Amino acid sequence: MIIGSSECTLGIAALAESGAYSFLMTAGHCSPTFGVPDAYWMRQPLSGVQLMGYEFYDYSWTCAGGRCDNADIGLYTNDFVDYHASIGEIPLELGLVWRMTARVAGPNALGALNIDQQFPRLSVTGIQSHGIMSQVVDKVGRSSGWTFGNTYKTCALAQFNANYKLNCQDFASYTSNYGDSGGPVFVHYPNIAPSPGGNGITVLGINSAKHLENNTVKGGSFTNTNQIRSEIGLFRFW
């Protein structure tokens, strides 16, 4: 998807716990102004139309000369459709993530960007609140596809740039490249329903950025569902 001049990953459709409204959840930094609901419309570049929705939630506060946030999260209105070249325009459905043809280990590998035609979707069966050390977690993104790795840091400060800090973020050794921001992070359960094809996933959060230490790529950082809930309240995918 494109928001302003940024390219990010179409996140995941969710529903407020009250059921009062649905929304698209993606990375907050994808819009032009970090931490501000700047009402930019998102669009799918392949569709040639702007049918996705606009940002209505993105929040941060001033701290130590910059901006601070608990969650790199932006919410967009639900007047959108998804698009795929071989399928056309389709309504976005709650609790579904596109499933790629191959799942590969990060942090530098590139996964397939083709949708599995036999089992095209992963279905959310649960929500995990935060990362667990050494747990294998997965991410789907528009640039590097479906990649996975081990959680190696939890609830740590992420210095997103010189003027923007993210509190209590989790880190895992999946691949995260430019354009993967906003993609769903989850735990994949290949032997748990719904089946066939190992389609069950538990949502863990939203991918935020590539993580480097001493100029070496280690993986990606993500905002976990606890941090998201601390800002927007309870939500669900079914």
Side-chain angles (χ1 to χ4, degrees):
M1 68 179 179
I2 293 179
I3 305 168
S5 60
S6 298
E7 294 188 9
C8 285
T9 295
L10 190 66
I12 184 168
L15 184 69
E17 183 64 31
S18 65
Y21 62 96
S22 59
F23 51 85
L24 178 68
M25 184 187 300
T26 188
H29 77 262
C30 292
S31 62
T33 307
F34 288 4
V36 176
D38 38 27
Y40 262 74
W41 281 78
M42 66 166 67
R43 63 183 177 87
Q44 281 282 35
L46 296 177
S47 68
V49 293
Q50 294 185 335
L51 295 174
M52 304 303 293
Y54 64 89
E55 187 182 49
F56 70 90
Y57 179 90
D58 191 357
Y59 176 75
S60 66
W61 64 90
T62 303
C63 67
R67 306 293 294 179
C68 287
D69 208 338
N70 285 330
D72 182 11
I73 203 75
L75 304 184
Y76 287 73
T77 56
N78 65 349
D79 50 347
F80 47 75
V81 294
D82 201 358
Y83 181 89
H84 187 259
S86 65
I87 300 173
E89 292 181 353
I90 58 174
L92 278 178
E93 299 178 75
L94 291 174
L96 295 176
V97 173
W98 286 119
R99 177 190 173 116
M100 305 297 111
T101 54
R103 172 181 179 262
V104 301
N108 294 301
L110 296 180
L113 296 176
N114 299 317
I115 293 173
D116 188 322
Q117 297 301 310
Q118 184 179 10
F119 304 113
R121 294 177 178 86
L122 298 164
S123 299
V124 178
T125 60
I127 299 175
Q128 181 173 315
S129 60
H130 56 82
I132 299 171
M133 287 295 292
S134 301
Q135 183 181 32
V136 176
V137 299
D138 295 56
K139 171 237 86 219
V140 170
R142 67 173 296 279
S143 298
S144 61
W146 186 2
T147 63
F148 68 95
N150 295 91
T151 302
Y152 60 84
K153 189 185 294 188
T154 61
C155 200
L157 179 69
Q159 186 74 47
F160 192 86
N161 62 32
N163 299 309
Y164 192 61
K165 299 176 182 178
L166 290 163
N167 297 319
C168 200
Q169 305 297 289
D170 295 336
F171 298 75
S173 58
Y174 56 70
T175 305
S176 178
N177 289 335
Y178 173 81
D180 288 332
S181 297
V185 177
F186 53 90
V187 180
H188 180 230
Y189 294 102
N191 298 316
I192 297 178
S195 291
N199 291 326
I201 64 172
T202 293
V203 170
L204 186 51
I206 293 292
N207 182 50
S208 181
K210 179 184 291 188
H211 179 228
L212 294 87
E213 289 186 6
N214 299 319
N215 295 318
T216 299
V217 177
K218 293 200 66 177
S221 63
F222 62 93
T223 290
N224 64 49
T225 59
N226 257 359
Q227 292 298 94
I228 298 170
R229 284 167 166 166
S230 75
E231 290 200 358
I232 70 171
L234 297 178
F235 59 88
R236 52 192 169 94
F237 298 104
W238 50 82

